[in-house]
Amino acid sequence: MDYRNFKFETDSDGIALITWDAPGRSMNVIDMKTIEELSDIVERVATDAAIKGAVVTSSKETFCAGADLTMLEVFSREFTTVAKAEGETAAVKRLYEESRKLSLLYRRLEKSGKPWVAAINGTALGGGFELCLACHHRIAADNAKTRVGLPEIKVGLFPGAGGTQRVARMMAPGDALQFLLKGEQIKLSQAKGMKLVDAVVPPDQLIKSAKDWIKAGGSAKAPWDQDGFKLPGGLVYSKAGMMTFPAANAIYRRETYDNYPAARAILQVVYEGLQVPFDIGLRIESRWFAKILHSPEAAAMIRSLFVSMGELNKGARRPKDVPPNNFKRVGIIGAGFMGASIGYVTALAGIDVVLIDRDQEAADKGKAHSHKLMTTQVNRGRATTAEREALLARITPTADYQALKDCELVIEAVFEDRNVKAETIKKAQAVIGDKVIFGSNTSTLPISSLAESAERPADFIGIHFFSPVERMMLVEVIMGKKTGDAALAAALDFVRAIRKTPIVVNDTRGFYANRCVLNYIREGHLMLMEGVPAAMIENVARMAGMPVGPLSLNDEVALDLGWKILKATEADLGIQAVDPRQKQLLADLVETRGRLGRKNGKGFYDYPATGPKRLWSGLADLQQTKLDPDTIDTQELKARLLVVQALEAARTVEEGVITDVREADVGSILGFGFAPYSGGTLSYIDMMGTKAFVDLCGRLEKKHGERFAAGKLLAEMAAKGETFYGRFAPGAPKAA
């Protein structure tokens, strides 16, 4: 058989070297062709008496990025096809058989009778690392950038090629569960300490060391296939086991509220698998994997967090006919918290930064922010002092706008005031070249109106970062009415250069993310004013799948900012545009009591100098009515918190603010943490079914008001039985 993905060669000692090199890809991934070729290679090694053992490695910088999840999407589509043609029983059987092929292949390798060594030359993840675990010995090339792990849980899956069973037999079950449920990518030093990697050697010694292990008589039997093998953590039904699994179940429920079927499946397969022989454990794992693969949560998470996010990161929305931008020098105007943070991530990407503020002292303070962030990384062992100094050398703080003349892109991040921004834009455009794109980091002011201050509105675009910039992966790119393709391409190229994920939205008040977030926060405010206990609001929000409750989130973004937005909305759109109950609450907290949120240590929560934050005891005094928590429908509260966000997302599609459904979903998860298990705001509607969603909106509207009214688009889709991903084909923007 001729191999497309592998190179096969045997040395004079009879040791086969299998080098993985998928053509046309920057990283090796597992697809059906890879499985087919590797199956042939395993049989060749197993049946050729002249071959004494095998070493598998990669010719790329990484070992393997894992399975091509689009392959798993195909499995799900085939399930639907087979179910219609042959019935659901046949479809389930087909899905089970197809999805366990990799597991059976790795087990054949493991029991081939020949020793296999994984020579891990770079990062190995998912199914790629499961291949390493199936090998009898694992040696890694010493590289600080190499990571290994099983991150499938992050896209709604779990390791389905034997990973759960091997890891749970290599370490105590509590440690195994933590590794599997967190899905973290760990360093080689950690992996060696956990016995997931046997040795770490200099890169130039990697292949030699792997072959030497085979020549020294390396065993062709995995520990669990040897007589007398004992589980590292003891039996499941033992004192140690009973201290692990009940506690693990409690932690799982506390952290996930049972929203993630894959996490529950991990607990199940480890618990059951450790009580039976290894091969039966693999069968249990495969059955659960097929079940989870067909779950709506996995389908939605794979689509949004792998397929769609990958497409957006690769420039799905970038104008094709604009030459690529290779930024060497970027200007940031405003060295406050946001501007300094944008400067930091830009310099981190290897781009020189001109950081401007009103005077040298303010600019220097902005650069000091980068020093602080890098020092934290140094102290945690994630960066070196040399890397810190190199980054700081790329940042030039100044008060002189003339320093912008050589910049290829300029971004303003000054105070959120129309007049201040207009003055900044004019001063900058008097210096920069006539082909330089100008970006505005604004979270509230419409881009089209800001562009009125620009000499070239076609080259003016919104680039909205989320706080804290260094941790938040989303950037909203906002198109003004006159923004041109060159500006869009430049903004997307920049976002890609700093390793963030962009979504493109059309101009409107609050853009996309903030419109949804503000509705979420408002719903929390209204619940409080209805008499729902504050703690219940916060806890139910987390039960619904949100990372933090609406009151806590409001504290983080600042109550006085919310108050300013509410007053500006009322001034621009009229008194009917704001809810009087929310206005009363914020006026009392901000104007009367001076509670501004975390920034001044008091908001909905109190922030003591020592110890964790706690809900302010005075909140109950703001409630004219106090409801008995035992009489409150928690399912309705959960629905309200999610529906108000999903409804707003649907409105942005109807209004043409969002023109690609992928961006609504990816943006909602990365931007404000919308229930990741749902796949995002629009996937949440599709998963429920548009008709069921509209019916739910009707019930909530009748009880709680017109903010829950489904719009014309949703009503039409419900009547036709349409979904967002059915009506609006991803990648092909359409009018609503």
Side-chain angles (χ1 to χ4, degrees), residues 497-512:
I498 61 174
R499 296 183 283 277
K500 304 284 186 186
T501 296
I503 63 170
V504 180
V505 305
N506 286 324
D507 199 15
T508 186
R509 179 182 294 273
F511 315 129
Y512 169 67

Side-chain angles (χ1 to χ4, degrees), residues 593-619:
R593 303 173 188 268
R595 302 187 70 87
L596 310 182
R598 181 184 281 276
K599 69 180 184 181
N600 79 332
K602 52 183 183 178
F604 287 103
Y605 286 78
D606 281 324
Y607 300 86
T610 58
K613 68 180 183 181
R614 54 178 177 265
L615 282 164
W616 175 44
S617 59
L619 286 177

Side-chain angles (χ1 to χ4, degrees), residues 238-253:
S238 66
K239 184 181 291 185
M242 289 302 99
M243 291 177 66
T244 298
F245 288 98
N249 186 56
I251 293 170
Y252 152 75
R253 292 184 180 278

